Amino acid sequence: MRHLRSLLAAAALFVAPVAAAADADLQAMRTASDPGRGSYDAAFWPDSEYRSDVRSPADFLGFEPGSRPAQHADIVRYFEYLDGLPTAELHSMGETYEGRRLVYLVVASEANAGRLEEIRANCAKLADPRLIAKGEGAKDLIARTPAVAWMAYGIHGDELSSCDAALQLAYQLVAGTDATTRAILADCVVIIDPVENPDGRTRWLTQLAQWNSVVTSWDIQSMNHTGMWPYGRTNHYLFDMNRDWFALVHPETRARTKAVLDWMPHYLLDCHEMGPLDTYLISPPREPFNPHMVSYIHKWWERVAKEHAAQFDRFGWSYYTREWNEEMYPGYGSSWAIYLGAVGFLFEQAGVDGSQVKRREGTVMTYRETVHHQFVGSMANLIAVAGGRAELLDDYQRQKAENLSSRPSTYVFTPGGNRTRLDRLVGKLQHQKIEVRRATKDFKLARARSWDGKDARDVAVPAGSALVRTDQPMRQLIEAILEFDTRIATAFLATEKKEILARDDSRLYDTTGWSLPLAYGIASYRAEGVPGVATEPYTIAARAGSIENAAARVGFAFDGRDDRAFELLARLFETDIRVWCANQPFRAGAVEMPRGSFLIRRAGNPGLDVEALRALAEAAGVTLVGIDSGLASGRFADLGGNEFTLLETPRIALVAGSGVNQYNFGAVWHLLDSRLRMRTSTLDVGSLGSADLSKYNVLFLPDNYRGVEGYQGAFGDGGIDRLKAWIESGGTVVAEGAGAAFLADTSVAISPTRMRRQVLKKLPEYRAALETSKQAVTPAIDSLALWEAKPQRDAAVKEESEKKPDPEFDAIEREDEIARKLAPRGVIVAVDLDTEHWLAYG
């Protein structure tokens, strides 16, 4: 009791009113307002002087850049202030999913600020020499055109420091009066894209603020450094936008790439952060290299890196090149720029999450120091670009001219039954200034290489197919994103195999399969030369949906092969219109509908509002065909039979939360919500064991970083039993990655599919079943053997005599382990598909 009284008395000291120290105590209870400052106070650009009539970020915002991360709104406010000054011009280029503004600031010298449109027009001419007028030489054009440098910061929302460096860079270029700053602006127009991912940055800063403290934690395992799922790297739909530069899925990417292509810059900085205990990585990268990069990129990587190193050496900072980043995938920011003709350059600063980190050697790195690194690196690169302006523009223009005079090949894309998909592919190419033509007549390709790598002869190509010639200014980009199978050098593959087998590591950083036509599933060909067929510019017309024969007595049908069919289907579900899916081909009047097409029966929809149906069809761009008779003939199904399955309105639950692969979850969420506009629920993975699944008829289990065990632990034994009962009562589980492995695991046994490594002893049985399945899809009848069979030895005796001893099981296990290690990390796979199965419809 005496101890308790002592504790209470001690506690009272902290709450008793002490008038003289009250204000100080209240202030001490606040969390740190400048967790990133520490004791680091080096000047951002030593010996620089600034115009007195331009407010600094610290003066305008009320805190020093680097003392804490600036919010997106703070950065935009400061850039709006700079927009009122003569040498700065702010542009809006779009909005994020959450409605945040995407901006870029153009900074130029006083001499160039008044001629920005002329400079932009000159850049367009250098990018396409066909636009250079007769009598206007390329050399004269280069002489009067500054280099355009696009400085991009913060595409990953949890990589914070570069965005604050963008604040300081804008101030330096607008207000700095030193010789270096003046020299940069004499030869460069600088475009600052300060926050590429506002939604992700805002999410991350909100998480970090929650775990901020009075005394800043240096521990990288502390929550003020780790945050929580889904973290801040990604955009609203949890996509990594640094993989989206040519895929163009998201509004942030489409807005940004349009702005970049409007300017056609000669240099593009892609500024990032990496692990907190690292130092600083810059280009050039290491092997492998994509074979389609511009010819001069290696020279400029070395030149820019040399200036970057010199500036870092001034401060004694550590840095390195080549160690882990390679240059195969063309869809990162610094990579995509290379195929436009620009010098794409990468920064990676050790990140400290807006505060401070204690490093292995015992030093403390502050956020302000990381911002300083990013700022100095940006200045160094601009110094190099300005100093080599004329040579860089000459290299750039020469490459474009060579592209136009090169021997052409032609990519040919056929529409098949999915015109929407072809239009969307063409739209993405045209967005990136790739010229696309449309064939006005049917024609034949005498010889070509098909999408599957096979030689094809006398290929019948229908009118309306898209053609892309490679002898265009964007040749490098065309080859990089359209080539069916970009090959990696054999010598590197030997290095890669050694790295995997000896060190259980990889020399490849990321994606290794990305061909756009294959991603769209379009029958595609590449032919040498140019096909002799009449063409016209490919224009993407708005698809006008309609109803043909609106007074039809039996019902209405629409083709299930086109992507728009599923957009209409989702709207039909929302309006409670009952829809059937065909398991066999059928006819809608004179139109043949393939299996997987959809039927709206009048008999199943009493009181069907045809005008409301017409409005849905028009909005989706789908043609509905009215049917007056349900009787078919030949191979076609009668419309009232059992070859039509009534579809049930999906009630979808998506699993999210700690351990779940946010990219996998986000892709499905985006597809269902943003693209198809279907209603979904999101369940936390930690609640799966107790969730009431009866509310749903579809459950999506994404990949899980914790593997099969992640879902086993989340469901628990009782939850797995409930999941099985739910499936048996009609529920559908869709799973990917570890989610699929969980369903196939022998300890769970929900799916009849099994993980290969769990059934190695039964591989002969599985191979036999596979062969039977193939025969069922494409049955072959040997009529001679069937009707004219000759006497043979007893089959059992023959089988026994030909049986070979099975290899030892240990050897099979070792072979399987090595095969899994050497499996490609990113591939597009050709498969034998049973097109009569409902999963393959369309």
Side-chain angles (χ1 to χ4, degrees), residues 28-61:
M29 287 189 291
R30 289 185 54 194
T31 57
S33 60
D34 56 352
R37 178 184 290 279
S39 59
Y40 189 88
D41 60 359
F44 278 106
W45 197 247
D47 304 323
S48 181
E49 295 183 357
Y50 300 94
R51 290 170 47 181
S52 60
D53 59 338
V54 179
R55 296 176 69 183
S56 69
D59 177 51
F60 185 86
L61 296 174

mmCIF file of all heavy atoms in Angstrom, residues 28-61:
data_model
loop_
_atom_site.group_PDB
_atom_site.id
_atom_site.type_symbol
_atom_site.label_atom_id
_atom_site.label_comp_id
_atom_site.label_asym_id
_atom_site.label_seq_id
_atom_site.Cartn_x
_atom_site.Cartn_y
_atom_site.Cartn_z
ATOM 1 N N ALA A 28 5.707 20.228 -24.711
ATOM 2 C CA ALA A 28 6.469 18.982 -24.683
ATOM 3 C C ALA A 28 5.592 17.786 -24.987
ATOM 4 O O ALA A 28 6.066 16.762 -25.465
ATOM 5 C CB ALA A 28 7.141 18.804 -23.330
ATOM 6 N N MET A 29 4.292 17.894 -24.723
ATOM 7 C CA MET A 29 3.400 16.771 -24.967
ATOM 8 C C MET A 29 3.074 16.606 -26.445
ATOM 9 O O MET A 29 2.531 15.590 -26.850
ATOM 10 C CB MET A 29 2.112 16.928 -24.156
ATOM 11 C CG MET A 29 2.310 16.684 -22.662
ATOM 12 S SD MET A 29 0.754 16.608 -21.781
ATOM 13 C CE MET A 29 0.199 18.299 -21.900
ATOM 14 N N ARG A 30 3.375 17.590 -27.272
ATOM 15 C CA ARG A 30 3.118 17.466 -28.705
ATOM 16 C C ARG A 30 4.133 16.532 -29.333
ATOM 17 O O ARG A 30 5.280 16.451 -28.912
ATOM 18 C CB ARG A 30 3.211 18.833 -29.381
ATOM 19 C CG ARG A 30 2.070 19.778 -29.061
ATOM 20 C CD ARG A 30 2.203 21.043 -29.880
ATOM 21 N NE ARG A 30 2.303 20.747 -31.309
ATOM 22 C CZ ARG A 30 2.699 21.620 -32.231
ATOM 23 N NH1 ARG A 30 3.045 22.850 -31.863
ATOM 24 N NH2 ARG A 30 2.758 21.284 -33.502
ATOM 25 N N THR A 31 3.717 15.852 -30.389
ATOM 26 C CA THR A 31 4.684 15.048 -31.140
ATOM 27 C C THR A 31 5.604 15.980 -31.909
ATOM 28 O O THR A 31 5.290 17.154 -32.130
ATOM 29 C CB THR A 31 3.967 14.100 -32.111
ATOM 30 O OG1 THR A 31 3.130 14.873 -32.980
ATOM 31 C CG2 THR A 31 3.131 13.084 -31.366
ATOM 32 N N ALA A 32 6.744 15.453 -32.327
ATOM 33 C CA ALA A 32 7.766 16.272 -32.970
ATOM 34 C C ALA A 32 7.214 16.912 -34.238
ATOM 35 O O ALA A 32 6.667 16.224 -35.103
ATOM 36 C CB ALA A 32 8.987 15.417 -33.295
ATOM 37 N N SER A 33 7.366 18.232 -34.354
ATOM 38 C CA SER A 33 6.903 18.939 -35.550
ATOM 39 C C SER A 33 7.943 18.914 -36.658
ATOM 40 O O SER A 33 7.625 19.203 -37.816
ATOM 41 C CB SER A 33 6.562 20.395 -35.205
ATOM 42 O OG SER A 33 7.711 21.062 -34.703
ATOM 43 N N ASP A 34 9.182 18.585 -36.312
ATOM 44 C CA ASP A 34 10.253 18.523 -37.316
ATOM 45 C C ASP A 34 11.078 17.250 -37.120
ATOM 46 O O ASP A 34 12.293 17.326 -36.857
ATOM 47 C CB ASP A 34 11.125 19.765 -37.249
ATOM 48 C CG ASP A 34 11.720 19.992 -35.869
ATOM 49 O OD1 ASP A 34 11.324 19.266 -34.923
ATOM 50 O OD2 ASP A 34 12.601 20.866 -35.744
ATOM 51 N N PRO A 35 10.469 16.061 -37.267
ATOM 52 C CA PRO A 35 11.191 14.812 -36.980
ATOM 53 C C PRO A 35 12.333 14.532 -37.933
ATOM 54 O O PRO A 35 13.187 13.691 -37.653
ATOM 55 C CB PRO A 35 10.090 13.750 -37.130
ATOM 56 C CG PRO A 35 9.098 14.353 -38.065
ATOM 57 C CD PRO A 35 9.090 15.804 -37.727
ATOM 58 N N GLY A 36 12.386 15.253 -39.039
ATOM 59 C CA GLY A 36 13.438 14.981 -40.009
ATOM 60 C C GLY A 36 14.651 15.865 -39.910
ATOM 61 O O GLY A 36 15.620 15.671 -40.642
ATOM 62 N N ARG A 37 14.637 16.848 -39.000
ATOM 63 C CA ARG A 37 15.734 17.811 -38.980
ATOM 64 C C ARG A 37 16.983 17.249 -38.314
ATOM 65 O O ARG A 37 18.061 17.229 -38.911
ATOM 66 C CB ARG A 37 15.304 19.100 -38.273
ATOM 67 C CG ARG A 37 16.436 20.122 -38.179
ATOM 68 C CD ARG A 37 16.003 21.349 -37.395
ATOM 69 N NE ARG A 37 15.027 22.137 -38.119
ATOM 70 C CZ ARG A 37 15.346 23.013 -39.079
ATOM 71 N NH1 ARG A 37 16.602 23.181 -39.431
ATOM 72 N NH2 ARG A 37 14.415 23.710 -39.675
ATOM 73 N N GLY A 38 16.873 16.808 -37.062
ATOM 74 C CA GLY A 38 18.062 16.394 -36.329
ATOM 75 C C GLY A 38 19.048 17.539 -36.222
ATOM 76 O O GLY A 38 18.680 18.706 -36.092
ATOM 77 N N SER A 39 20.323 17.194 -36.320
ATOM 78 C CA SER A 39 21.360 18.224 -36.224
ATOM 79 C C SER A 39 21.917 18.607 -37.588
ATOM 80 O O SER A 39 22.892 19.348 -37.679
ATOM 81 C CB SER A 39 22.512 17.712 -35.337
ATOM 82 O OG SER A 39 23.072 16.521 -35.888
ATOM 83 N N TYR A 40 21.291 18.096 -38.672
ATOM 84 C CA TYR A 40 21.819 18.358 -40.021
ATOM 85 C C TYR A 40 21.306 19.708 -40.514
ATOM 86 O O TYR A 40 20.096 19.914 -40.658
ATOM 87 C CB TYR A 40 21.382 17.251 -40.983
ATOM 88 C CG TYR A 40 22.055 17.327 -42.337
ATOM 89 C CD1 TYR A 40 23.277 16.697 -42.547
ATOM 90 C CD2 TYR A 40 21.488 18.035 -43.382
ATOM 91 C CE1 TYR A 40 23.904 16.765 -43.778
ATOM 92 C CE2 TYR A 40 22.108 18.116 -44.612
ATOM 93 C CZ TYR A 40 23.318 17.478 -44.806
ATOM 94 O OH TYR A 40 23.957 17.550 -46.022
ATOM 95 N N ASP A 41 22.218 20.643 -40.799
ATOM 96 C CA ASP A 41 21.796 21.977 -41.224
ATOM 97 C C ASP A 41 22.651 22.532 -42.354
ATOM 98 O O ASP A 41 22.737 23.753 -42.543
ATOM 99 C CB ASP A 41 21.806 22.944 -40.047
ATOM 100 C CG ASP A 41 23.194 23.075 -39.412
ATOM 101 O OD1 ASP A 41 24.127 22.389 -39.887
ATOM 102 O OD2 ASP A 41 23.329 23.854 -38.454
ATOM 103 N N ALA A 42 23.295 21.653 -43.153
ATOM 104 C CA ALA A 42 24.136 22.120 -44.256
ATOM 105 C C ALA A 42 23.288 22.897 -45.264
ATOM 106 O O ALA A 42 22.126 22.561 -45.517
ATOM 107 C CB ALA A 42 24.806 20.930 -44.942
ATOM 108 N N ALA A 43 23.872 23.925 -45.852
ATOM 109 C CA ALA A 43 23.177 24.716 -46.866
ATOM 110 C C ALA A 43 22.895 23.850 -48.083
ATOM 111 O O ALA A 43 23.739 23.047 -48.506
ATOM 112 C CB ALA A 43 24.026 25.911 -47.268
ATOM 113 N N PHE A 44 21.716 24.008 -48.678
ATOM 114 C CA PHE A 44 21.359 23.178 -49.820
ATOM 115 C C PHE A 44 22.303 23.411 -51.001
ATOM 116 O O PHE A 44 22.728 22.469 -51.661
ATOM 117 C CB PHE A 44 19.909 23.459 -50.245
ATOM 118 C CG PHE A 44 18.895 22.709 -49.415
ATOM 119 C CD1 PHE A 44 18.137 23.365 -48.465
ATOM 120 C CD2 PHE A 44 18.703 21.351 -49.588
ATOM 121 C CE1 PHE A 44 17.200 22.686 -47.700
ATOM 122 C CE2 PHE A 44 17.778 20.650 -48.833
ATOM 123 C CZ PHE A 44 17.025 21.313 -47.879
ATOM 124 N N TRP A 45 22.626 24.658 -51.290
ATOM 125 C CA TRP A 45 23.559 24.952 -52.398
ATOM 126 C C TRP A 45 24.526 26.020 -51.908
ATOM 127 O O TRP A 45 24.242 27.214 -51.976
ATOM 128 C CB TRP A 45 22.783 25.422 -53.631
ATOM 129 C CG TRP A 45 23.572 25.362 -54.901
ATOM 130 C CD1 TRP A 45 23.991 26.420 -55.660
ATOM 131 C CD2 TRP A 45 24.057 24.192 -55.573
ATOM 132 N NE1 TRP A 45 24.697 25.992 -56.759
ATOM 133 C CE2 TRP A 45 24.755 24.621 -56.732
ATOM 134 C CE3 TRP A 45 23.977 22.823 -55.299
ATOM 135 C CZ2 TRP A 45 25.343 23.721 -57.618
ATOM 136 C CZ3 TRP A 45 24.563 21.943 -56.188
ATOM 137 C CH2 TRP A 45 25.239 22.383 -57.325
ATOM 138 N N PRO A 46 25.660 25.600 -51.369
ATOM 139 C CA PRO A 46 26.598 26.553 -50.752
ATOM 140 C C PRO A 46 26.981 27.682 -51.706
ATOM 141 O O PRO A 46 27.083 27.481 -52.921
ATOM 142 C CB PRO A 46 27.803 25.664 -50.414
ATOM 143 C CG PRO A 46 27.234 24.281 -50.291
ATOM 144 C CD PRO A 46 26.133 24.210 -51.296
ATOM 145 N N ASP A 47 27.172 28.845 -51.126
ATOM 146 C CA ASP A 47 27.632 30.038 -51.852
ATOM 147 C C ASP A 47 26.600 30.603 -52.823
ATOM 148 O O ASP A 47 26.917 31.506 -53.604
ATOM 149 C CB ASP A 47 28.936 29.756 -52.627
ATOM 150 C CG ASP A 47 30.036 29.221 -51.710
ATOM 151 O OD1 ASP A 47 30.105 29.697 -50.557
ATOM 152 O OD2 ASP A 47 30.779 28.330 -52.138
ATOM 153 N N SER A 48 25.373 30.071 -52.798
ATOM 154 C CA SER A 48 24.350 30.627 -53.684
ATOM 155 C C SER A 48 23.697 31.844 -53.035
ATOM 156 O O SER A 48 23.607 31.936 -51.810
ATOM 157 C CB SER A 48 23.281 29.583 -53.986
ATOM 158 O OG SER A 48 22.309 30.106 -54.864
ATOM 159 N N GLU A 49 23.282 32.774 -53.866
ATOM 160 C CA GLU A 49 22.490 33.921 -53.414
ATOM 161 C C GLU A 49 21.136 33.873 -54.108
ATOM 162 O O GLU A 49 20.997 33.290 -55.191
ATOM 163 C CB GLU A 49 23.216 35.226 -53.738
ATOM 164 C CG GLU A 49 24.520 35.384 -52.978
ATOM 165 C CD GLU A 49 25.199 36.722 -53.259
ATOM 166 O OE1 GLU A 49 24.656 37.482 -54.104
ATOM 167 O OE2 GLU A 49 26.237 36.996 -52.643
ATOM 168 N N TYR A 50 20.138 34.503 -53.478
ATOM 169 C CA TYR A 50 18.767 34.384 -53.971
ATOM 170 C C TYR A 50 18.111 35.754 -54.078
ATOM 171 O O TYR A 50 18.421 36.674 -53.300
ATOM 172 C CB TYR A 50 17.948 33.484 -53.041
ATOM 173 C CG TYR A 50 18.513 32.089 -52.928
ATOM 174 C CD1 TYR A 50 19.397 31.762 -51.900
ATOM 175 C CD2 TYR A 50 18.211 31.118 -53.870
ATOM 176 C CE1 TYR A 50 19.943 30.498 -51.803
ATOM 177 C CE2 TYR A 50 18.750 29.842 -53.781
ATOM 178 C CZ TYR A 50 19.616 29.535 -52.747
ATOM 179 O OH TYR A 50 20.164 28.278 -52.659
ATOM 180 N N ARG A 51 17.206 35.862 -55.008
ATOM 181 C CA ARG A 51 16.448 37.105 -55.171
ATOM 182 C C ARG A 51 15.617 37.370 -53.920
ATOM 183 O O ARG A 51 14.960 36.477 -53.387
ATOM 184 C CB ARG A 51 15.535 36.989 -56.385
ATOM 185 C CG ARG A 51 16.268 36.976 -57.698
ATOM 186 C CD ARG A 51 15.335 36.612 -58.853
ATOM 187 N NE ARG A 51 14.071 37.355 -58.830
ATOM 188 C CZ ARG A 51 13.089 37.189 -59.721
ATOM 189 N NH1 ARG A 51 13.241 36.294 -60.700
ATOM 190 N NH2 ARG A 51 11.976 37.900 -59.625
ATOM 191 N N SER A 52 15.640 38.598 -53.483
ATOM 192 C CA SER A 52 14.927 38.947 -52.249
ATOM 193 C C SER A 52 13.416 39.007 -52.448
ATOM 194 O O SER A 52 12.653 38.958 -51.479
ATOM 195 C CB SER A 52 15.433 40.291 -51.720
ATOM 196 O OG SER A 52 15.211 41.312 -52.696
ATOM 197 N N ASP A 53 12.975 39.117 -53.714
ATOM 198 C CA ASP A 53 11.538 39.242 -53.968
ATOM 199 C C ASP A 53 10.853 37.894 -54.196
ATOM 200 O O ASP A 53 9.676 37.857 -54.560
ATOM 201 C CB ASP A 53 11.290 40.153 -55.169
ATOM 202 C CG ASP A 53 11.957 39.639 -56.439
ATOM 203 O OD1 ASP A 53 12.923 38.842 -56.329
ATOM 204 O OD2 ASP A 53 11.508 40.008 -57.541
ATOM 205 N N VAL A 54 11.589 36.786 -53.999
ATOM 206 C CA VAL A 54 11.004 35.441 -54.146
ATOM 207 C C VAL A 54 11.052 34.767 -52.781
ATOM 208 O O VAL A 54 12.118 34.600 -52.188
ATOM 209 C CB VAL A 54 11.775 34.596 -55.179
ATOM 210 C CG1 VAL A 54 11.158 33.196 -55.282
ATOM 211 C CG2 VAL A 54 11.766 35.281 -56.549
ATOM 212 N N ARG A 55 9.903 34.396 -52.285
ATOM 213 C CA ARG A 55 9.832 33.743 -50.973
ATOM 214 C C ARG A 55 10.348 32.305 -51.072
ATOM 215 O O ARG A 55 10.042 31.584 -52.020
ATOM 216 C CB ARG A 55 8.396 33.752 -50.453
ATOM 217 C CG ARG A 55 7.844 35.145 -50.192
ATOM 218 C CD ARG A 55 6.384 35.090 -49.768
ATOM 219 N NE ARG A 55 6.240 34.487 -48.445
ATOM 220 C CZ ARG A 55 5.065 34.255 -47.861
ATOM 221 N NH1 ARG A 55 3.925 34.565 -48.505
ATOM 222 N NH2 ARG A 55 5.002 33.724 -46.664
ATOM 223 N N SER A 56 11.110 31.898 -50.082
ATOM 224 C CA SER A 56 11.615 30.521 -50.039
ATOM 225 C C SER A 56 10.510 29.584 -49.567
ATOM 226 O O SER A 56 9.513 30.021 -48.984
ATOM 227 C CB SER A 56 12.797 30.439 -49.079
ATOM 228 O OG SER A 56 12.341 30.622 -47.743
ATOM 229 N N PRO A 57 10.647 28.271 -49.789
ATOM 230 C CA PRO A 57 9.667 27.327 -49.256
ATOM 231 C C PRO A 57 9.512 27.454 -47.746
ATOM 232 O O PRO A 57 8.398 27.371 -47.222
ATOM 233 C CB PRO A 57 10.230 25.964 -49.660
ATOM 234 C CG PRO A 57 11.074 26.232 -50.855
ATOM 235 C CD PRO A 57 11.660 27.591 -50.629
ATOM 236 N N ALA A 58 10.648 27.655 -47.038
ATOM 237 C CA ALA A 58 10.580 27.774 -45.577
ATOM 238 C C ALA A 58 9.745 28.991 -45.171
ATOM 239 O O ALA A 58 8.908 28.923 -44.257
ATOM 240 C CB ALA A 58 11.979 27.865 -44.990
ATOM 241 N N ASP A 59 9.951 30.100 -45.861
ATOM 242 C CA ASP A 59 9.207 31.316 -45.538
ATOM 243 C C ASP A 59 7.731 31.171 -45.901
ATOM 244 O O ASP A 59 6.842 31.583 -45.146
ATOM 245 C CB ASP A 59 9.834 32.498 -46.290
ATOM 246 C CG ASP A 59 9.072 33.793 -46.049
ATOM 247 O OD1 ASP A 59 8.834 34.128 -44.881
ATOM 248 O OD2 ASP A 59 8.697 34.455 -47.040
ATOM 249 N N PHE A 60 7.463 30.580 -47.030
ATOM 250 C CA PHE A 60 6.087 30.485 -47.517
ATOM 251 C C PHE A 60 5.278 29.448 -46.743
ATOM 252 O O PHE A 60 4.117 29.682 -46.390
ATOM 253 C CB PHE A 60 6.099 30.141 -49.010
ATOM 254 C CG PHE A 60 4.737 30.138 -49.654
ATOM 255 C CD1 PHE A 60 4.192 31.301 -50.156
ATOM 256 C CD2 PHE A 60 4.001 28.961 -49.756
ATOM 257 C CE1 PHE A 60 2.930 31.306 -50.747
ATOM 258 C CE2 PHE A 60 2.745 28.953 -50.338
ATOM 259 C CZ PHE A 60 2.210 30.130 -50.837
ATOM 260 N N LEU A 61 5.880 28.291 -46.470
ATOM 261 C CA LEU A 61 5.151 27.188 -45.843
ATOM 262 C C LEU A 61 5.281 27.165 -44.332
ATOM 263 O O LEU A 61 4.508 26.495 -43.644
ATOM 264 C CB LEU A 61 5.640 25.851 -46.419
ATOM 265 C CG LEU A 61 5.388 25.637 -47.913
ATOM 266 C CD1 LEU A 61 6.045 24.333 -48.375
ATOM 267 C CD2 LEU A 61 3.901 25.626 -48.230
#
